[in-house]
Each structure stands twice: as structure tokens, then as C-alpha cells.
Amino acid sequence: MARFTLPRDLYHGKGALAELKNLTGKKAVIVVGGGSMKRFGFLDRAEAYLKEAGMEVKLIEKVEPDPSVETVMRGAAVMREFEPDWIVAMGGGSPIDAAKAMWAFYEYPDITFESLITPFNFPTLRTKAKFCAIPSTSGTATEVTAFSVITDYAKGIKYPLADFNITPDVAIVDPDLAETMPQKLTAHTGMDAMTHAIEAYVSTLHCDYTDPLALHAIKMIHNDLKKSYDGDMEARDRMHNAQCLAGMAFSNALLGIVHSMAHKTGAAYTGGHIVHGCANAMYLPRVIQYNAKNAEAAVRYAEIAKFIDLKGETTEELVAALVAELKAMNASLNIPDGIKWYEGGIIDETEFLEKLPQVAELAIGDACTGSNPRIPTQEEMEKLLKACYYGEDVDF
């Protein structure tokens, strides 16, 4: 038996934000990030719609990129004092992910963060509040997923939290919000979405319900991401839908080691963070080469290649064509070919090599590894990470 879970309601299309005025409740908190939603007027509109619905509204602002355990605890404390019956999270993946974790600590003040790290170990939510997610970026799809990524900065580790309890009740996918994304963010979030869809399609937990969502998302992203990056707002609007479809797929099929590696390298180095979507983009071609040694995975990568009209007579040729196409997409989006060149070389080679065994071990233990087509050994994961650092092909 398998499970397929999505939000109860998903409102999409321009102007969908106005659906907030139809929520029923007495109090709502709005969780937002660094200020873009305020600068572009969306926060004021959301607050006004909730007040039109008859709710008292409180803001939890300044959720940082890669939200911390401390931010989660701070927000949960505000919620416990205010006692909302709606949690509305708005912005990029970070405020929505943070709000999901805040939700758990609001309803269950005595649970520990350590207990939530175990996949599918959340207590039953909705005892105090329901959850509405409104994405402003076209990548994480956290508005429809059972996942949240929270960073423990003291340990330098990103933890993916996973539980169907944190799948939002309502998702509002309004492309007006995504039209405000800067070019680099458009590239990184778009390749994050591509990684979600590809990993979902080859996951060991894929099924008839997730496959069509993943394939259609891949085709849409392949067709529209570069156009969106270049400022085509119709393509930007379509990308907002594509990333959501990819999220529906991976929330139910789960992911693979591209994400395991991105989670464990993201906050590991003193030179700076590796942005999640950029990490996925750099790692994806090498992981495909690694996973394609599994015959079933190779066939599914070949199916993806054929679905987006790449050329090849054999499975091997089609897999190679897919890898080449993803590398070409990265280049067209100004994404580097390896960690060595990320942001002009901020990740020191010596530090990378010193931390390699530990990062590899943590990546193998990541929650996303279990559904990957191949489970890497410590030696294989170290070799994979080195290939991603130096931009090398993988043949093992």
C-alpha cells in the first residue's frame, strides 16, 4: 500500500491571493521572510484579505534564508501567545518551511526538534490551527509537500523534516508573486524544481499517481525555464505551475541523493552557504550518471529524455543526452559546473577535502537517500561529492 496526499484545496492563477478573504477563523498569523512580500505590496494585500474575512492578524517577519532552529522556536512562541487558528505562510521556501515547523511547536510545546528529525514522526496537527501556504518562488513547492528543511547552524547541518501532517490545508499558487523574482533566483529555483521532478520519476517509491505529474513538470520546465530567466512573464507564470506539479510528485514519491548531498553540503563550509537550488543543479548530472548504473533507473532516465524530445537510439545514448541537456541548461542559466567555481570559489578546496568523509557520511544518512535507485557506499559518496566539486563526469 502507498499513500498520495495533497492539500485539501489549491487555488491557482492570477489573483488567487484574494481567496484569503474566504478563510474562516478568528485569528491568523502571517509568516514572511526578508521583506520582498512587503516591498511589492503582497503582504499588505494578504493582511487586508484576512481582515476582510473577519480575522485578527499578527505578523511573524524576517525569517532568514535557510531558516534556523532558533527562528522556528521564536515563531512558535509568538503563536502560543497569540493562539491563531490559521497559519498563513507567504514567500519563498524558507518562511513556509519555517512556519511548518513552528506549527508543530505551537501545538505541542514539549516536543523536541530532535524527535522531529525522524521521518514521519510528527504528532497529529490541526488541534489548534490550519495551514495556508502561498509561494512567491517557483522551486521548492513546499506549498504542496510533506517536507520542511530547517538548519541547525551550531552543527552546520540542514535537516529535512518529513511528515504528511505538515502538508498544507490550502495552497494559493498565484503567479503574480513569482513575477517579482530576480534572475538568479529564477534560475536556482527552476533547477530545484527540475531536480524534484527527475528524482521523483526515478525514485524507488514512484507510482502511477506521481509519474505523470513528474513527466509533465519536466517538460514544462525544459520548455519554459530559460524563457522565464530571460524575463518572459508568461513563461514565468507557467513555471509557477510546473514547480507545483513537481512538488506534488516528489512529496509522494520522495527524492534521492541529489537532495541528500545538497542538504549536507549547504551549510557545511565556512566560506558561505551553497544555495539549495544551485547545489541541486550542479549535482544532478553526476547523480544521473551514477544512478544509471542501475538498469531500471537508466530506463526511466531514457524515458525522460524521449519525453522532452532528446535524441538517442539506445538507453545509454538517451541517458547521455539527458545529462548533456541538463549541463547545457545550467550553462544557459549561469550556474557553475562544480562547487569549485561556485560564487567565484568561496568553498575552499582544502576545507572541502577535510570535511569530505563527514559530509559523505551525513549525506548517506539523509532522509532522501532511502528512495534513491542506488544506495552509495561511503567510498562512492565521497567520489560523487569530489566529482561535483571538480565538475567531473562519473563512471562507477
Side-chain angles (χ1 to χ4, degrees), residues 80 83-87 102-109 111 122-131 165-166 169:
R80 286 194 294 270
E83 298 184 336
D85 41 25
W86 274 100
I87 298 167
M102 292 173 190
W103 189 14
F105 289 102
Y106 164 44
E107 298 205 359
Y108 295 91
I111 61 168
F122 272 64
T124 299
L125 297 179
R126 297 166 181 82
T127 63
K128 296 179 181 177
K130 292 183 179 179
F131 195 101
N165 269 290
I166 57 173
D169 298 281

Side-chain angles (χ1 to χ4, degrees), residues 12-80:
H12 58 94
K14 284 180 171 293
L17 185 64
E19 189 59 33
L20 286 173
K21 65 187 177 184
N22 293 321
L23 298 183
T24 302
K26 295 180 179 179
K27 292 183 178 182
V29 293
I30 304 178
V31 182
V32 292
S36 64
M37 291 298 93
K38 180 179 286 187
R39 287 196 307 274
F40 292 108
F42 293 114
L43 178 58
D44 286 344
R45 285 168 55 188
E47 189 171 2
Y49 287 139
L50 289 168
K51 288 179 178 178
E52 188 176 341
M55 291 194 225
E56 183 182 350
V57 181
K58 190 173 187 65
L59 304 182
I60 299 175
E61 300 183 82
K62 298 182 180 178
V63 174
E64 74 273 41
D66 301 316
S68 65
V69 176
E70 290 76 16
T71 293
V72 168
M73 297 306 181
R74 172 178 61 85
V78 172
M79 291 180 188
R80 286 194 294 270

Side-chain angles (χ1 to χ4, degrees), residues 111-168:
I111 61 168
T112 64
F113 183 72
E114 288 71 23
S115 70
L116 300 183
I117 293 170
T118 303
F120 302 97
N121 193 48
F122 272 64
T124 299
L125 297 179
R126 297 166 181 82
T127 63
K128 296 179 181 177
K130 292 183 179 179
F131 195 101
C132 174
I134 309 167
S136 65
T137 61
S138 301
T140 70
T142 189
E143 73 275 6
V144 293
T145 75
F147 295 95
S148 165
V149 179
I150 305 298
T151 302
D152 185 330
Y153 286 93
K155 296 179 180 177
I157 299 174
K158 288 185 177 182
Y159 289 104
L161 310 180
D163 197 286
F164 288 116
N165 269 290
I166 57 173
T167 303

